[in-house]
Amino acid sequence: MIYSKIFVAEDLDSNNLGMVATLKKMGIATIEQSQFCDNALLKIKKAVIDFEPFEVLISDLCFNATHGKKNIRSGQELISEVKKIQPNIKVIVFSVEDKQSIIESLMEDQQIDAYVCKGLNGLKELENAIEALSKNKKYTCPVATASLQQKNILELDIYEQKLLELLAHGYKQSEISELFKKKLITPNSVRSIETSISKLKDSFNASTTPQLVYMASSLGLI
């Protein structure tokens, strides 16, 4: 069952519009939002007092600090305060931040339920996260998942980096094979290149080559 009442804490109007449109498309009946953490906490607290609590909080991590004095200045602080008054609320972080340490801290220390990175597929991944939560599952988008597996990513060698770059530029496996042969890069058979791509997909937890390229690009590897 998809949720019926969700709160969105996001300070950019453009992001708010996209999220609200996605949530409406999913059939969410009640969607409230705020661009300020303090105001978000007040609205969530009032909903609890009125016995009409929100089921899910979707929050960014960074908020504009130019709009007057604030008690709560970040998404991390907001999540902590919200959980004090409503411990069972589901929390999705929707952020441009993809650092391993930050994601780990939020997942382990603050017990958030999902982490989605903003970007090309951000809204679709947000939809996937909500569907996963509705089935009592935790969720991390492919970019966040790859970041959490950063040990594998840091072990990429020059060959793998070059292979990713060529894939990003639209080269087919047969074309990469010919190019590697001309430059005396080994292994250079089509089969070995296919195997290398398969291993990279496993490392990044990617199901397709375009997804692999997207994740590598999002993490600044190409």
Side-chain angles (χ1 to χ4, degrees), residues 45-109:
K45 187 180 293 186
K46 184 178 185 302
V48 172
I49 293 171
D50 292 342
F51 298 100
E52 297 178 345
F54 291 95
E55 297 160 290
V56 180
L57 164 64
I58 302 173
S59 179
D60 196 353
L61 295 180
C62 297
F63 288 80
N64 195 328
T66 62
H67 296 286
K69 185 176 179 180
K70 301 182 181 69
N71 292 318
I72 306 173
R73 298 178 177 273
S74 71
Q76 290 99 320
E77 292 179 60
L78 174 61
I79 292 166
S80 293
E81 292 302 316
V82 167
K83 289 221 167 189
K84 289 178 183 177
I85 60 174
Q86 191 180 343
N88 63 339
I89 192 171
K90 299 289 186 180
V91 177
I92 300 173
V93 169
F94 189 53
S95 171
V96 296
E97 185 59 70
D98 59 12
K99 289 183 180 177
Q100 181 188 45
S101 59
I102 291 176
I103 300 173
E104 280 185 342
S105 174
L106 286 161
M107 297 295 293
E108 295 175 10
D109 299 336

Side-chain angles (χ1 to χ4, degrees), residues 84-187:
K84 289 178 183 177
I85 60 174
Q86 191 180 343
N88 63 339
I89 192 171
K90 299 289 186 180
V91 177
I92 300 173
V93 169
F94 189 53
S95 171
V96 296
E97 185 59 70
D98 59 12
K99 289 183 180 177
Q100 181 188 45
S101 59
I102 291 176
I103 300 173
E104 280 185 342
S105 174
L106 286 161
M107 297 295 293
E108 295 175 10
D109 299 336
Q110 294 192 269
Q111 294 293 300
I112 67 167
D113 300 278
Y115 196 103
V116 177
C117 295
K118 294 178 181 178
L120 182 63
N121 298 319
L123 291 175
K124 176 58 182 175
E125 289 299 329
L126 183 62
E127 188 174 339
N128 291 341
I130 292 170
E131 290 177 350
L133 264 60
S134 70
K135 298 173 184 176
N136 291 317
K137 297 179 180 179
K138 297 260 185 179
Y139 187 84
T140 54
C141 71
V143 173
T145 300
S147 182
L148 291 171
Q149 298 172 344
Q150 199 168 36
K151 181 179 178 182
N152 291 332
I153 295 169
L154 292 175
E155 292 172 354
L156 291 181
D157 56 30
I158 295 174
Y159 177 89
E160 291 170 323
Q161 290 174 356
K162 183 64 177 177
L163 180 56
L164 283 170
E165 289 173 2
L166 292 172
L167 289 172
H169 284 91
Y171 281 76
K172 297 178 181 178
Q173 292 180 22
S174 58
E175 294 172 329
I176 296 173
S177 174
E178 289 301 316
L179 184 61
F180 278 6
K181 287 175 182 177
K182 287 179 182 179
K183 295 190 175 184
L184 302 178
I185 298 173
T186 58

Side-chain angles (χ1 to χ4, degrees), residues 19-39:
M19 283 191 280
V20 169
T22 296
L23 296 174
K24 285 183 177 179
K25 183 184 72 173
M26 295 183 73
I28 309 300
T30 303
I31 306 161
E32 290 197 36
Q33 54 190 306
S34 177
Q35 293 178 299
F36 310 102
C37 293
D38 289 336
N39 183 253

